Amino acid sequence: PPSRAPRRKTQKPIKMRRTLKGHFGKVYAMHWASDSQSLVSASQDGKLIIWNAYTTNKTNAIPLRSSWVMTCAFEQSKGNLIACGGLDNVCSIYNIQNQGANARATKELVAHDGYLSCCRFTDEGHIITSSGDSTCIYWDITSGEVLKAFSDHTGDVMSVAINPENSNVFVSGSVDKTAKIWDLRNG
């Protein structure tokens, strides 16, 4: 009998569902809130915008001191905090429940010697940042103190991701061609 090649399933094209319009510069970063409806975007126009992704409405716009933003993050447990950073080497934390017309950072975390490439909250009181200075830092947001610095990379650290099952574990990715898995409990 003739051999038959397996039939390929034709995949339906992925359909774009919404377009979020409101920035006047390049959008460099976005991050979903835990409600899977809100998200934050960071743009070279010097603004963070918080969106309702279902309605495409802007729910908040926060002007930044520096327009050179490279990263943003939504705190995942309560969704009250957002963070951003970039070429200013600073991780700025905003409480979006307390923002009026003149939004100011609730806390500015300063210790990196290079640009801030990524930030992710581990919980409402702590955040991890990665930087062009080849390090990651675990911060206490309330005090602004560095709790731990992770310095085993040999090049710019470009990203971090928190393990969704265990917030003590995170991974960092670097231009040194490695990804490193860390445990906050033992470095």
Side-chain angles (χ1 to χ4, degrees):
S3 65
R4 289 192 170 181
R7 275 199 156 153
R8 287 188 165 197
K9 289 185 179 181
T10 55
Q11 291 187 357
K12 294 181 181 182
I14 296 172
K15 186 176 178 184
M16 192 271 307
R17 299 289 180 188
R18 308 273 191 280
T19 300
L20 305 175
K21 294 182 180 177
H23 280 297
F24 297 101
K26 296 174 185 174
V27 176
Y28 277 106
M30 301 193 79
H31 195 230
W32 286 100
S34 59
D35 67 6
S36 299
Q37 181 172 340
S38 302
L39 56 97
V40 61
S41 59
S43 169
Q44 196 177 27
D45 64 9
K47 286 198 174 25
L48 291 177
I49 296 179
I50 300 164
W51 306 86
N52 179 316
Y54 294 163
T55 66
T56 72
N57 291 336
K58 292 178 259 182
T59 58
N60 207 334
I62 298 171
L64 303 174
R65 285 197 332 188
S66 169
S67 62
W68 301 104
V69 64
M70 296 174 69
T71 185
C72 60
F74 235 115
E75 192 279 318
Q76 298 293 303
S77 66
K78 294 183 182 166
N80 294 333
L81 300 177
I82 56 173
C84 68
L87 298 183
D88 61 355
N89 304 1
V90 176
C91 182
S92 300
I93 311 285
Y94 296 87
N95 186 328
I96 56 176
Q97 302 306 315
N98 304 341
Q99 295 298 334
N102 53 354
R104 290 222 168 96
T106 308
K107 187 64 82 171
E108 291 185 337
L109 306 175
V110 181
H112 281 295
D113 292 327
Y115 63 89
L116 201 80
S117 57
C118 192
C119 58
R120 290 293 180 259
F121 290 92
T122 59
D123 57 44
E124 200 171 42
H126 303 90
I127 193 166
I128 296 172
T129 56
S130 63
S131 171
D133 65 8
S134 304
T135 69
C136 299
I137 294 178
Y138 178 53
W139 301 86
D140 180 298
I141 294 170
T142 305
S143 69
E145 288 183 36
V146 172
L147 297 177
K148 280 189 182 173
F150 301 85
S151 56
D152 285 4
H153 281 293
T154 59
D156 298 16
V157 184
M158 301 307 296
S159 61
V160 292
I162 310 299
N163 182 319
E165 297 293 319
N166 181 350
S167 63
N168 287 307
V169 177
F170 74 99
V171 62
S172 57
S174 169
V175 301
D176 68 9
K177 304 178 192 146
T178 68
K180 296 186 184 288
I181 299 173
W182 309 91
D183 191 318
L184 296 172
R185 295 166 294 196
N186 58 20

